[in-house]
DNA sequence: AACGGAATCAACCGCCCTCGG
DNA sequence: CCCGAGGGCGGTTGATTCCGT
């Protein structure tokens, strides 16, 4: 089809920043007569601008229902979540944030959120850990060196917190999270061997300090009982928007750098193949099969997001013999749910 | 105080889609 | 069905502001 002829060949049409006089002319005209045809509007309103420029100025700046000022935490989380589902569909995302324009959201994403995710080790395109799985190769060695995993109870050997801090990244964090979840639900002898150590690693990887993560919250998040402790990834009604979605982040926003989107949205989904889709809002059915085994069914064929959040931890584990070896030291651990 | 680089965001560009003739 | 006008969208630019040195 080619380019629109709009604004082409209109020599002498003004470009650049709008003056207050121009703003007033545009506001007055639209408020009195509506915008009608954008192409004809500039002439009728007495503006030396192209229609497209007028439309942009109105929709992104002059419209009376535009909300100004900082994005709230809830808005920020909603944008991240919607972006994980919709990608760069800024106009679609904007429809879920009343008063915000697609341009504003796009700018905010590019200047703040994208960088924030990158800093957290999350790929802003895929919303998954920037997983260079080769990085994981060293972890079993780390574990072996640091603690006495296969043997008698929690590891007690001295280990270098700072070295671990450097080496345990977000991807590892998620695998560790998986292990902890498995540990908490398997029919393990009590106390679960290695549990303390893994919790310690998680704390380190999440902030370098024991207090980096509320371990009770983490434990809750990791437990696998009837899936009741999973965040409310879906609801059976058209999502109540902010409320429902912000629930995904409960308990994980306290300045630790990782929200439960990362913990629950990715980690959780990776276990259960739950499709995280508040827009489609399909029901999910989970069945407790006993013995820590839970099966879930969802994903209507029509969902455009089928499989979007699916990721099989076992694939990751199988790519690395070291992890296999590690798991073999925990024979009581049922990995079938991974 | 001056400077330079980084961050911000309004505005523009160009492609795509829809719809009516 | 074809074509073109009009509008919408996502990507990019560049002027301005902020911030560290």
């Amino acid at each position: 089809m080619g380019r629109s002829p709009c604004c082409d060949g209109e020599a002498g049409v003004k470009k650049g920043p709008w003056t207050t006089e121009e703003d007033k002319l545009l506001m007055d005209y639209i408020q009195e007569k509506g915008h009608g045809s954008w192409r004809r509007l500039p002439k009728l309103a007495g503006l030396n601008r192209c229609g497209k420029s007028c439309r942009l100025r109105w929709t992104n700046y002059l419209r009376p229902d535009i909300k100004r000022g900082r994005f709230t935490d809830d808005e920020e989380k909603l944008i991240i979540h919607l972006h994980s589902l919709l990608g760069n569909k800024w106009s679609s995302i904007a429809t879920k944030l009343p008063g915000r324009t697609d341009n504003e959201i796009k700018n905010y994403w590019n200047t703040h959120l994208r960088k924030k995710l990158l800093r957290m080790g999350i790929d802003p395109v895929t919303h998954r850990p920037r997983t260079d799985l080769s990085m994981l190769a060293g972890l079993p060695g780390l574990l072996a060196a640091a603690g006495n995993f296969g043997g008698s109870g929690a590891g007690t050997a001295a280990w270098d917190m700072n070295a671990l801090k450097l080496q345990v990244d977000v991807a590892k964090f998620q695998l560790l999270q998986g292990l902890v979840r498995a540990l908490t639900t398997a029919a393990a002898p009590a106390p679960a061997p290695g549990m303390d150590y893994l919790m310690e690693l998680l704390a380190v990887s999440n902030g370098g300090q024991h207090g980096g993560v509320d371990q009770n919250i983490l434990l809750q998040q990791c437990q696998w009982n009837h899936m009741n402790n999973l965040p409310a990834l879906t609801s059976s009604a058209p999502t109540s928007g902010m409320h429902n979605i912000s629930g995904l982040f409960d308990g994980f926003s306290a300045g630790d750098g990782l929200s439960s989107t990362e913990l629950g949205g990715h980690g959780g989904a990776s276990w259960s193949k739950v499709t995280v889709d508040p827009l489609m809002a399909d029901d999910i059915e989970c069945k407790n099969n006993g013995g820590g085994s839970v099966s879930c069914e969802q994903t209507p064929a029509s969902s455009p997001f089928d499989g979007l959040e699916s990721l099989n931890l076992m694939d990751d584990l199988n790519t690395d013999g070291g992890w296999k070896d590690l798991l073999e030291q925990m024979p009581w651990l049922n990995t079938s749910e991974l």
Side-chain angles (χ1 to χ4, degrees):
Chain A
M1 192 59 62
R3 309 179 37 190
S4 153
C6 179
C7 302
D8 276 3
E10 294 183 33
V13 167
K14 187 169 179 239
K15 291 181 180 180
W18 281 64
T19 64
T20 48
E21 289 78 18
E22 288 175 314
D23 281 347
K24 187 172 182 334
L25 281 172
L26 184 57
M27 285 269 274
D28 289 349
Y29 182 84
I30 291 178
Q31 280 174 355
E32 189 184 341
K33 303 189 174 169
H35 62 72
S37 162
W38 286 110
R39 194 180 169 83
R40 280 185 287 276
L41 182 145
K43 223 164 222 173
L44 296 170
L47 284 158
N48 185 27
R49 292 271 183 178
C50 98
K52 213 167 177 175
S53 178
C54 295
R55 181 175 60 81
L56 222 59
R57 183 65 180 170
W58 173 256
T59 55
N60 287 338
Y61 199 82
L62 297 176
R63 237 174 50 199
D65 59 330
I66 285 180
K67 193 200 281 183
R68 297 261 147 217
R70 257 190 70 84
F71 280 80
T72 65
D73 283 351
D74 278 345
E75 284 177 315
E76 196 171 287
K77 289 163 186 169
L78 182 55
I79 292 168
I80 292 171
H81 191 73
L82 290 173
H83 187 272
S84 75
L85 299 172
L86 301 168
N88 295 356
K89 302 288 177 196
W90 305 117
S91 56
S92 304
I93 293 172
T95 63
K96 306 290 174 191
L97 286 106
R100 301 293 189 182
T101 69
D102 53 355
N103 204 39
E104 195 179 11
I105 294 168
K106 177 175 60 183
N107 281 331
Y108 191 67
W109 175 267
N110 287 328
T111 56
H112 292 94
L113 299 180
R114 214 177 69 86
K115 291 171 189 169
K116 187 173 180 179
L117 290 181
L118 284 170
R119 275 198 304 273
M120 290 159 53
I122 305 293
D123 184 332
V125 177
T126 63
H127 289 255
R128 290 183 180 171
R130 297 157 74 188
T131 313
D132 174 0
L133 284 176
S134 64
M135 293 188 302
L136 298 172
L139 193 56
L142 252 178
L143 291 167
N148 168 15
F149 218 142
S152 48
T156 52
W159 40 286
D160 184 341
M161 197 70 110
N162 288 326
L164 288 173
K165 198 191 299 184
L166 290 174
Q167 294 183 57
V168 179
D169 61 12
V170 171
K172 290 171 187 169
F173 178 92
Q174 296 207 335
L175 274 177
L176 286 167
Q177 184 204 5
L179 283 173
V180 168
R181 180 137 60 187
L183 283 163
T184 60
T185 58
M195 185 65 188
D196 290 349
Y197 178 68
L198 279 174
M199 295 299 286
E200 198 71 57
L201 267 184
L202 280 163
V204 170
S205 66
N206 197 46
Q209 295 176 13
H210 296 233
V213 136
D214 181 328
Q215 296 196 359
N216 288 326
I217 293 175
L218 184 58
L219 197 53
Q220 278 177 23
Q221 180 76 11
C222 292
Q223 280 171 346
W224 193 241
N225 301 335
H226 306 254
M227 289 191 65
N228 286 337
N229 290 332
L230 278 179
L233 297 179
T234 58
S235 77
S236 57
T239 176
S240 52
M242 197 77 82
H243 175 74
N244 185 45
I245 291 168
S246 64
L248 291 175
F249 302 88
D250 290 348
F252 284 90
S253 58
D256 55 27
L258 275 175
S259 73
S260 66
T261 292
E262 286 71 43
L263 294 169
H266 295 286
S270 70
W271 295 93
S272 58
K273 296 182 189 294
V274 170
T275 298
V276 183
D277 180 13
L279 300 181
M280 301 302 289
D282 292 299
D283 284 325
I284 182 166
E285 285 185 18
C286 295
K287 191 172 64 176
N288 182 7
N289 301 323
S293 163
V294 177
S295 59
C296 300
E297 287 183 10
Q298 192 232 1
T299 51
S302 61
S303 170
F305 303 117
D306 281 356
L308 191 66
E309 295 288 339
S310 290
L311 187 135
N312 192 334
L313 185 58
M314 275 314 280
D315 289 345
D316 298 341
L317 294 171
N318 285 328
T319 61
D320 189 323
W323 280 96
K324 266 189 190 164
D325 295 341
L326 179 64
L327 290 174
E328 278 167 18
Q329 295 179 51
M330 297 182 277
W332 39 265
L333 177 63
N334 176 12
T335 57
S336 63
E337 284 299 324
L338 299 188

Coordinates of all heavy atoms in Angstrom, one line a residue, chain A residues 286-335:
Chain A
C286 N -6.7 -27.9 38.7 CA -5.6 -28.6 39.2 C -6.1 -29.8 40.1 O -7.0 -29.6 40.9 CB -4.7 -27.7 40.0 SG -4.0 -26.4 39.0
K287 N -5.4 -30.9 40.0 CA -5.8 -32.0 40.7 C -4.7 -32.5 41.6 O -3.5 -32.6 41.1 CB -6.2 -33.1 39.7 CG -6.9 -34.3 40.4 CD -7.5 -35.2 39.3 CE -6.4 -35.9 38.5 NZ -6.9 -36.8 37.5
N288 N -4.9 -32.8 42.8 CA -3.9 -33.3 43.7 C -3.9 -34.8 43.5 O -4.9 -35.5 43.9 CB -4.2 -32.9 45.1 CG -3.1 -33.4 46.1 OD1 -2.1 -34.0 45.6 ND2 -3.3 -33.2 47.3
N289 N -2.9 -35.3 43.0 CA -2.8 -36.8 42.8 C -2.2 -37.5 43.9 O -2.0 -38.7 43.9 CB -1.9 -37.1 41.5 CG -2.5 -36.4 40.3 OD1 -3.7 -36.3 40.1 ND2 -1.6 -35.9 39.4
G290 N -1.9 -36.8 45.0 CA -1.3 -37.4 46.1 C 0.2 -37.5 46.0 O 0.7 -37.5 44.9
G291 N 0.8 -37.7 47.1 CA 2.2 -37.8 47.1 C 3.0 -36.7 46.5 O 4.1 -36.8 46.0
G292 N 2.4 -35.5 46.7 CA 3.1 -34.3 46.2 C 2.9 -34.1 44.7 O 3.4 -33.2 44.1
S293 N 2.2 -35.0 44.1 CA 2.0 -34.9 42.6 C 0.7 -34.1 42.3 O -0.4 -34.4 42.8 CB 1.9 -36.3 42.0 OG 1.4 -36.2 40.7
V294 N 0.8 -33.1 41.5 CA -0.3 -32.3 41.1 C -0.4 -32.2 39.6 O 0.6 -32.0 39.0 CB -0.2 -30.9 41.7 CG1 -1.4 -30.0 41.3 CG2 -0.1 -31.0 43.2
S295 N -1.6 -32.4 39.1 CA -1.7 -32.2 37.6 C -2.7 -31.1 37.3 O -3.7 -31.0 38.0 CB -2.1 -33.5 36.9 OG -3.4 -33.9 37.5
C296 N -2.4 -30.3 36.3 CA -3.3 -29.2 36.0 C -3.6 -29.2 34.5 O -2.8 -29.7 33.7 CB -2.5 -27.9 36.3 SG -2.1 -27.7 38.0
E297 N -4.8 -28.8 34.3 CA -5.3 -28.7 32.9 C -5.9 -27.4 32.6 O -6.6 -26.8 33.4 CB -6.3 -29.8 32.6 CG -5.7 -31.2 32.5 CD -6.8 -32.2 32.1 OE1 -7.8 -31.7 31.7 OE2 -6.5 -33.4 32.2
Q298 N -5.5 -26.8 31.5 CA -6.1 -25.5 31.2 C -6.0 -25.3 29.7 O -6.4 -26.2 28.9 CB -5.3 -24.4 31.9 CG -5.9 -23.1 31.8 CD -5.0 -22.0 31.3 OE1 -3.8 -22.3 31.0 NE2 -5.4 -20.8 31.2
T299 N -5.4 -24.2 29.2 CA -5.1 -23.9 27.9 C -6.1 -24.3 26.8 O -6.0 -25.3 26.1 CB -3.8 -24.6 27.4 OG1 -3.9 -26.0 27.8 CG2 -2.6 -24.0 28.2
P300 N -7.2 -23.5 26.7 CA -8.1 -23.7 25.6 C -7.4 -23.5 24.3 O -6.5 -22.6 24.2 CB -9.2 -22.6 25.8 CG -8.4 -21.5 26.6 CD -7.5 -22.3 27.4
A301 N -7.8 -24.2 23.2 CA -7.1 -24.1 22.0 C -7.1 -22.7 21.4 O -6.2 -22.4 20.6 CB -7.8 -25.1 21.0
S302 N -8.1 -21.9 21.8 CA -8.2 -20.6 21.1 C -7.2 -19.6 21.7 O -7.0 -18.5 21.1 CB -9.6 -20.1 21.3 OG -9.9 -19.9 22.6
S303 N -6.6 -19.9 22.8 CA -5.7 -18.9 23.4 C -4.5 -18.6 22.6 O -3.8 -19.5 22.2 CB -5.3 -19.3 24.8 OG -4.3 -18.5 25.3
P304 N -4.3 -17.3 22.3 CA -3.1 -16.9 21.5 C -1.9 -17.0 22.4 O -0.8 -16.9 21.9 CB -3.4 -15.5 21.2 CG -4.3 -15.0 22.2 CD -5.1 -16.1 22.6
F305 N -2.1 -17.3 23.6 CA -0.9 -17.3 24.5 C -0.5 -18.7 24.9 O 0.2 -18.9 25.8 CB -1.2 -16.5 25.8 CG -1.5 -15.1 25.5 CD1 -2.8 -14.6 25.8 CD2 -0.6 -14.3 24.8 CE1 -3.1 -13.3 25.5 CE2 -0.9 -13.0 24.5 CZ -2.2 -12.5 24.8
D306 N -1.1 -19.7 24.2 CA -0.8 -21.1 24.5 C 0.7 -21.3 24.6 O 1.5 -21.0 23.7 CB -1.3 -22.0 23.4 CG -2.8 -22.2 23.6 OD1 -3.3 -21.7 24.6 OD2 -3.4 -22.9 22.8
G307 N 1.1 -21.9 25.7 CA 2.5 -22.3 25.8 C 3.5 -21.1 26.1 O 4.7 -21.3 26.2
L308 N 2.9 -19.9 26.1 CA 3.8 -18.8 26.3 C 4.7 -18.9 27.5 O 5.9 -18.5 27.4 CB 2.9 -17.5 26.4 CG 3.7 -16.2 26.3 CD1 4.2 -16.1 24.9 CD2 2.7 -15.1 26.6
E309 N 4.2 -19.4 28.5 CA 4.9 -19.4 29.8 C 5.4 -20.8 30.1 O 5.9 -21.1 31.2 CB 4.1 -18.9 30.9 CG 3.7 -17.4 30.8 CD 4.9 -16.5 31.0 OE1 5.9 -16.9 31.6 OE2 4.9 -15.4 30.6
S310 N 5.3 -21.7 29.1 CA 5.7 -23.0 29.4 C 7.2 -23.2 29.3 O 7.8 -22.7 28.4 CB 5.1 -24.0 28.4 OG 3.7 -24.1 28.7
L311 N 7.7 -23.9 30.2 CA 9.2 -24.1 30.3 C 9.4 -25.3 31.1 O 8.9 -25.4 32.2 CB 9.8 -22.9 30.8 CG 11.3 -22.8 30.8 CD1 11.7 -21.4 30.3 CD2 11.9 -23.0 32.1
N312 N 10.1 -26.3 30.6 CA 10.2 -27.5 31.4 C 11.6 -27.5 32.1 O 12.6 -27.6 31.5 CB 10.1 -28.7 30.5 CG 9.9 -29.9 31.2 OD1 10.4 -30.0 32.4 ND2 9.2 -30.9 30.7
L313 N 11.5 -27.5 33.4 CA 12.8 -27.5 34.2 C 13.6 -28.7 33.9 O 14.8 -28.7 33.9 CB 12.4 -27.4 35.6 CG 13.6 -27.2 36.6 CD1 14.5 -26.0 36.2 CD2 13.2 -27.1 38.0
M314 N 12.9 -29.9 33.6 CA 13.6 -31.1 33.4 C 14.5 -31.0 32.2 O 15.6 -31.5 32.2 CB 12.7 -32.3 33.3 CG 12.2 -32.9 34.6 SD 13.6 -33.2 35.7 CE 14.3 -34.7 35.1
D315 N 14.1 -30.2 31.2 CA 14.9 -30.1 30.0 C 16.2 -29.4 30.5 O 17.3 -29.8 30.0 CB 14.2 -29.2 29.0 CG 13.1 -29.9 28.3 OD1 13.0 -31.1 28.5 OD2 12.2 -29.2 27.7
D316 N 16.1 -28.4 31.3 CA 17.3 -27.7 31.8 C 18.2 -28.7 32.5 O 19.4 -28.7 32.4 CB 16.9 -26.6 32.7 CG 16.1 -25.5 32.0 OD1 16.1 -25.5 30.7 OD2 15.4 -24.8 32.6
L317 N 17.5 -29.5 33.4 CA 18.3 -30.4 34.2 C 19.0 -31.4 33.3 O 20.2 -31.8 33.6 CB 17.4 -31.1 35.2 CG 16.8 -30.2 36.2 CD1 15.8 -31.0 37.1 CD2 17.9 -29.6 37.2
N318 N 18.3 -31.9 32.3 CA 18.9 -32.9 31.4 C 20.0 -32.4 30.6 O 20.8 -33.1 30.0 CB 17.8 -33.5 30.6 CG 17.0 -34.5 31.4 OD1 17.5 -35.1 32.3 ND2 15.7 -34.6 31.0
T319 N 20.1 -31.1 30.4 CA 21.2 -30.5 29.6 C 22.5 -30.5 30.3 O 23.5 -30.2 29.8 CB 20.9 -29.1 29.1 OG1 20.8 -28.3 30.3 CG2 19.6 -29.0 28.3
D320 N 22.4 -30.8 31.5 CA 23.6 -30.7 32.3 C 23.8 -31.9 33.2 O 23.0 -32.1 34.2 CB 23.5 -29.4 33.2 CG 24.8 -29.1 33.9 OD1 25.5 -30.1 34.3 OD2 25.2 -28.0 34.0
G321 N 24.7 -32.7 32.9 CA 24.9 -33.9 33.7 C 25.1 -33.7 35.2 O 24.8 -34.5 36.0
G322 N 25.7 -32.5 35.5 CA 26.0 -32.2 36.9 C 24.8 -32.1 37.7 O 24.7 -32.6 38.8
W323 N 23.7 -31.6 37.1 CA 22.5 -31.5 37.8 C 21.8 -32.8 38.0 O 21.3 -33.1 39.0 CB 21.5 -30.5 37.1 CG 21.8 -29.1 37.4 CD1 22.5 -28.3 36.6 CD2 21.4 -28.4 38.5 NE1 22.6 -27.1 37.2 CE2 21.9 -27.1 38.4 CE3 20.6 -28.7 39.6 CZ2 21.7 -26.1 39.3 CZ3 20.4 -27.7 40.6 CH2 21.0 -26.4 40.4
K324 N 22.0 -33.6 37.0 CA 21.5 -35.0 37.1 C 22.2 -35.7 38.3 O 21.5 -36.3 39.1 CB 21.8 -35.8 35.8 CG 20.7 -35.8 34.8 CD 21.1 -36.8 33.8 CE 20.2 -36.8 32.6 NZ 20.8 -37.5 31.4
D325 N 23.5 -35.5 38.3 CA 24.2 -36.2 39.4 C 23.7 -35.7 40.8 O 23.6 -36.4 41.7 CB 25.7 -35.8 39.3 CG 26.3 -36.4 38.0 OD1 25.7 -37.4 37.5 OD2 27.3 -36.0 37.6
L326 N 23.5 -34.4 40.8 CA 23.0 -33.8 42.1 C 21.7 -34.4 42.5 O 21.5 -34.8 43.7 CB 22.9 -32.3 41.9 CG 22.4 -31.5 43.1 CD1 23.4 -31.6 44.2 CD2 22.2 -30.0 42.7
L327 N 20.8 -34.5 41.5 CA 19.5 -35.1 41.9 C 19.6 -36.5 42.3 O 18.8 -37.0 43.1 CB 18.6 -35.0 40.7 CG 18.2 -33.5 40.3 CD1 17.4 -33.5 39.1 CD2 17.4 -32.9 41.5
E328 N 20.6 -37.2 41.7 CA 20.7 -38.6 42.1 C 21.1 -38.8 43.5 O 20.9 -39.9 44.1 CB 21.7 -39.3 41.1 CG 21.1 -39.7 39.8 CD 22.2 -40.1 38.8 OE1 23.3 -40.3 39.2 OE2 21.9 -40.1 37.6
Q329 N 21.6 -37.7 44.1 CA 22.0 -37.8 45.5 C 20.8 -37.6 46.4 O 20.9 -37.6 47.6 CB 23.0 -36.7 45.8 CG 24.3 -37.0 45.1 CD 25.3 -35.9 45.4 OE1 25.6 -35.6 46.6 NE2 25.9 -35.3 44.4
M330 N 19.6 -37.4 45.8 CA 18.4 -37.2 46.5 C 17.3 -38.1 46.0 O 16.4 -37.7 45.4 CB 17.9 -35.7 46.4 CG 18.9 -34.7 46.9 SD 18.3 -33.0 46.8 CE 18.8 -32.6 45.2
P331 N 17.5 -39.4 46.3 CA 16.7 -40.4 45.7 C 15.2 -40.3 46.1 O 14.3 -40.7 45.4 CB 17.3 -41.7 46.2 CG 18.0 -41.4 47.4 CD 18.5 -40.0 47.2
W332 N 15.0 -39.6 47.2 CA 13.6 -39.5 47.7 C 12.9 -38.3 47.0 O 11.7 -38.1 47.2 CB 13.6 -39.2 49.2 CG 14.8 -38.3 49.6 CD1 16.0 -38.7 50.1 CD2 14.8 -36.9 49.5 NE1 16.8 -37.6 50.3 CE2 16.1 -36.5 49.9 CE3 13.9 -35.9 49.1 CZ2 16.4 -35.1 50.0 CZ3 14.2 -34.6 49.1 CH2 15.5 -34.2 49.6
L333 N 13.6 -37.6 46.2 CA 13.1 -36.5 45.6 C 12.3 -36.9 44.3 O 12.9 -37.4 43.4 CB 14.2 -35.5 45.2 CG 13.8 -34.2 44.5 CD1 12.8 -33.4 45.4 CD2 15.0 -33.4 44.2
N334 N 11.1 -36.6 44.2 CA 10.3 -36.9 43.0 C 10.4 -35.7 42.1 O 9.8 -34.7 42.3 CB 8.8 -37.1 43.5 CG 7.9 -37.4 42.2 OD1 8.4 -37.6 41.1 ND2 6.6 -37.4 42.5
T335 N 11.0 -36.0 41.0 CA 11.2 -34.9 40.0 C 10.2 -34.9 38.9 O 10.3 -34.2 37.9 CB 12.6 -35.0 39.4 OG1 12.8 -36.2 38.8 CG2 13.7 -34.8 40.4

